[in-house]
């Protein structure tokens, strides 16, 4: 980075607030003008975007007793009484943002306050990395190209909510940068010539594409708006893949798409599917546990042609195992992503219950979403007035680019482009840090 940044004040940071994982970049005191990623938990520079609210314990100044990141996931896996919250970013732009939800122990918390609490934790970790322990007052936050597809007003509301949450925890100066553009800045550090790069940032909640003109001379400029030729995205990504895997590979054993009992002279009807879609959606799982809904579903036993399906469903609801099923789906996705079939162990529900999942079946369940994501990349090229052959490089970042079939499908549209894989979980944070350093040095 340029020497003009050597005397940069260190009261700022950059935050990649992701659907699945988050990271923070701060000024590097040992390398003036440079940025570094902060260890957030157990020495790791990324932390799951997860909060666990304990059912027991006293409030402190920050609210109900909580654990964050891996500690939150561990508390849940160990069966601690409480509530796990993930995919909080997906709530932005929805009507849920200002609603209160039960977190156990007779406590209610607004979704926006959950989000603020997680940002406060990140800010605290950024302060811990400062020699004097000062928490930053200025921040660059990453954001997807679209929080909400095709609805500009809700998209603007989503950014406003995130900005309000950041200010609520002590950030006075809040700026945003598109996540795929931040990834382009990371790519640019190693560029030795001017290039047109299509950045594919595919995480847990969104798939975002940007075409950015990069190069060693351009990297010296603060205002890069004219280097961004097009940006586009869709609200489809890793959590959607998990949902399809769960519906296809797990929940059929619980009655999804199953038929009711055969009755004289009538065609059997399909079991109502609403509960299955909610069980396969992280931020809706807990809605399945309300006493009224459990009672309603319990009384639907007669809707099921196979009583085992209903019994298994009620076990999930009575023992609150919805998130564990979602975890099993995610694990299955990762396993088939590496190539080959897998067996999903569901013996926590019923002794001896396992479900084979073939790679072919899993990929077929994802094919529609994969095509929509690939088409979003092509639309980005079209919006820039370019052809696929004009793209010099593809830069993949985001956790879901680990799904080989997805990356290969996108790359197939750009046979002449060089494929580069960034750090799937940290390249956006690195790029946001570079942008923050340039912005706050001005």
């Amino acid at each position: 980075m340029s020497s003009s940044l050597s005397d940069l004040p260190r009261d700022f940071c950059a935050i990649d607030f992701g659907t699945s994982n988050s990271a923070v970049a701060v000024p590097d005191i040992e390398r003036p003008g440079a940025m570094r990623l902060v260890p957030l938990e157990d020495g790791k520079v990324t932390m799951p975007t997860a909060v666990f609210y304990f059912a027991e314990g006293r409030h402190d100044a920050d609210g109900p007793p909580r654990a964050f990141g891996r500690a939150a996931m561990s508390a849940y896996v160990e069966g601690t009484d409480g509530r796990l919250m993930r995919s909080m970013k997906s709530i932005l732009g929805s009507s849920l943002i200002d609603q209160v939800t039960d977190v156990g122990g007779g406590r209610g918390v607004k979704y926006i306050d959950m989000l603020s609490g997680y940002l406060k934790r990140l800010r605290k970790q950024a302060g811990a990395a400062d020699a004097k322990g000062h928490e930053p007052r200025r921040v660059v936050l990453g954001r997807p190209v679209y929080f909400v597809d095709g609805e500009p007003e809700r998209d603007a509301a989503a950014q406003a909510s995130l900005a309000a949450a950041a200010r609520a925890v002590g950030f006075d100066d809040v700026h945003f940068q598109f996540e795929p553009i931040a990834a382009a800045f990371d790519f640019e550090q190693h560029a030795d010539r001017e290039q047109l790069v299509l950045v594919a940032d595919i995480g847990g909640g969104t798939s975002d594409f940007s075409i950015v003109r990069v190069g060693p001379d351009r990297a010296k400029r603060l205002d890069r708006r004219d280097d961004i030729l097009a940006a586009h995205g869709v609200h489809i990504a890793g959590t959607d893949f998990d949902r399809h895997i769960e519906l296809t590979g797990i929940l059929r054993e619980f009655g999804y798409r199953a038929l009711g009992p055969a009755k004289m002279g009538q065609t059997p009807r399909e079991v109502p599917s609403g509960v299955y879609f909610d069980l396969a959606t992280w931020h809706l799982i807990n809605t399945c546990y309300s006493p009224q809904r459990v009672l309603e579903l319990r009384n639907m036993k007669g809707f099921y042609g196979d009583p085992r399906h209903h019994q298994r469903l009620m076990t999930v609801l009575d023992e609150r195992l919805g998130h564990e099923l979602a975890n099993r789906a995610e694990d299955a996705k990762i396993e088939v992503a590496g190539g080959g079939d897998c067996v999903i162990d569901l013996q926590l529900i019923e002794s001896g219950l396992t479900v084979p999942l073939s790679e072919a079946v899993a990929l077929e369940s994802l094919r529609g979403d994969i095509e929509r994501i690939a088409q979003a990349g092509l639309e980005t090229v079209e919006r820039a007035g370019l052809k696929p052959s004009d793209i010099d490089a593809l830069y993949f970042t985001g956790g879901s680019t680990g799904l080989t079939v997805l990356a290969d499908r996108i790359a197939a549209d750009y046979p002449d482009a060089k494929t580069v894989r960034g750090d799937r979980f940290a390249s956006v944070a690195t790029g946001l840090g570079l942008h923050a350093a340039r912005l706050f040095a001005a």
Side-chain angles (χ1 to χ4, degrees):
M1 299 184 69
S2 67
S3 58
S4 64
L5 303 181
S6 59
D7 297 323
L8 186 66
R10 300 191 178 97
D11 65 338
F12 71 91
C13 69
I15 294 178
D16 175 19
F17 174 59
T19 302
S20 300
N21 294 277
S22 295
V24 178
V26 298
D28 190 336
I29 59 175
E30 296 182 359
R31 296 182 300 145
M35 301 289 287
R36 67 183 179 90
L37 299 181
V38 175
L40 296 176
E41 186 183 26
D42 300 332
K44 296 179 174 62
V45 296
T46 62
M47 183 170 75
T49 309
V51 182
F52 186 87
Y53 284 84
F54 295 97
E56 298 181 353
R58 294 183 177 181
H59 278 63
D60 58 23
D62 291 332
R66 287 162 292 178
F68 298 88
R70 293 171 186 84
M73 303 295 288
S74 295
Y76 172 76
V77 170
E78 291 167 3
T80 306
D81 191 15
R83 181 175 178 185
L84 176 69
M85 294 300 301
R86 286 185 66 186
S87 302
M88 293 176 287
K89 188 175 181 179
S90 63
I91 297 169
L92 289 166
S94 78
S95 60
L96 290 173
I97 192 68
D98 290 315
Q99 292 184 17
V100 174
T101 186
D102 177 33
V103 295
R107 302 181 176 105
V109 176
K110 282 187 176 182
Y111 283 103
I112 185 64
D113 293 335
M114 289 182 181
L115 194 152
S116 296
Y118 187 83
L119 289 180
K120 187 171 185 177
R121 178 73 171 195
L122 295 179
R123 181 171 180 255
K124 181 178 180 180
Q125 295 302 95
D130 183 81
K132 297 182 180 179
H134 294 157
E135 295 183 2
R137 309 294 299 183
R138 300 183 288 175
V139 64
V140 168
L141 284 163
R143 59 150 293 166
V145 175
Y146 300 111
F147 283 105
V148 182
D149 296 339
E151 298 187 49
E153 290 184 1
R154 286 181 61 197
D155 187 78
Q159 177 171 307
S161 293
L162 185 54
R167 294 189 181 97
V169 301
F171 288 112
D172 299 325
D173 194 2
V174 179
H175 296 260
F176 288 90
Q177 180 57 272
F178 291 123
E179 291 155 358
I181 294 172
F185 293 157
D186 183 42
F187 172 87
E188 189 174 52
Q189 293 184 98
H190 311 290
D192 58 3
R193 61 184 177 85
E194 186 168 303
Q195 301 175 64
L196 286 178
V197 180
L198 175 62
V199 179
D201 180 9
I202 305 172
T206 58
S207 295
D208 291 329
F209 294 88
S210 291
I211 297 177
V212 185
R213 185 182 288 109
V214 303
D217 292 333
R218 293 181 178 278
K220 301 171 185 178
R221 304 165 59 205
L222 176 61
D223 188 349
R224 300 294 299 276
R225 284 175 294 181
D226 59 347
D227 287 335
I228 302 165
L229 305 187
H232 180 50
V234 289
H235 207 75
I236 305 170
T239 54
D240 298 284
F241 301 156
D242 297 343
R243 183 183 306 113
H244 290 307
I245 293 293
E246 185 169 356
L247 288 167
T248 299
I250 294 178
L251 291 178
R252 287 183 183 272
E253 298 297 324
F254 297 77
Y256 173 61
R257 301 298 297 271
L259 296 177
K263 296 181 180 180
M264 185 70 68
Q266 296 182 5
T267 301
R269 294 184 178 182
E270 189 173 294
V271 171
S273 58
V275 66
Y276 301 105
F277 287 109
D278 291 349
L279 280 173
T281 306
W282 262 97
H283 65 277
L284 296 178
I285 291 173
N286 280 288
T287 66
C288 300
Y289 301 147
S290 69
Q292 181 178 354
R293 193 167 192 192
V294 171
L295 178 61
E296 178 185 353
L297 291 164
R298 195 180 307 281
N299 290 334
M300 291 172 62
K301 183 176 181 179
F303 284 60
Y304 288 75
D306 186 341
R308 295 176 302 173
H309 290 160
H310 183 260
Q311 183 178 351
R312 291 167 185 165
L313 174 63
M314 295 315 301
T315 297
V316 171
L317 301 181
D318 290 338
E319 299 186 19
R320 299 196 169 204
L321 296 174
H323 287 97
E324 184 57 35
L325 289 186
N327 284 336
R328 301 292 168 99
E330 183 179 11
D331 291 343
K333 177 193 69 176
I334 293 169
E335 190 167 347
V336 297
D341 304 339
C342 72
V343 176
I344 304 171
D345 187 344
L346 297 174
Q347 295 192 79
L348 78 166
I349 306 294
E350 178 184 295
S351 178
L353 181 60
T354 60
V355 180
L357 179 66
S358 71
E359 180 183 14
V361 169
L363 295 183
E364 183 60 31
S365 74
L366 305 181
R367 197 162 305 282
D369 279 353
I370 288 174
E371 285 300 318
R372 286 185 64 190
I373 292 170
Q375 287 303 311
L378 289 172
E379 185 173 341
T380 309
V381 174
E382 184 178 346
R383 290 185 179 192
L386 301 172
K387 302 183 298 294
S389 58
D390 295 323
I391 302 301
D392 297 304
L394 296 175
Y395 186 66
F396 287 107
T397 185
S400 292
T401 56
L403 189 64
T404 303
V405 67
L406 171 62
D408 289 348
R409 171 63 189 86
I410 294 172
D413 290 326
Y414 313 91
D416 300 326
K418 178 182 179 181
T419 296
V420 179
R421 292 182 177 273
D423 185 315
R424 288 194 293 137
F425 299 108
S427 61
V428 170
T430 299
L432 290 172
L434 291 170
H435 179 65
R438 293 164 182 157
L439 176 68
F440 295 126

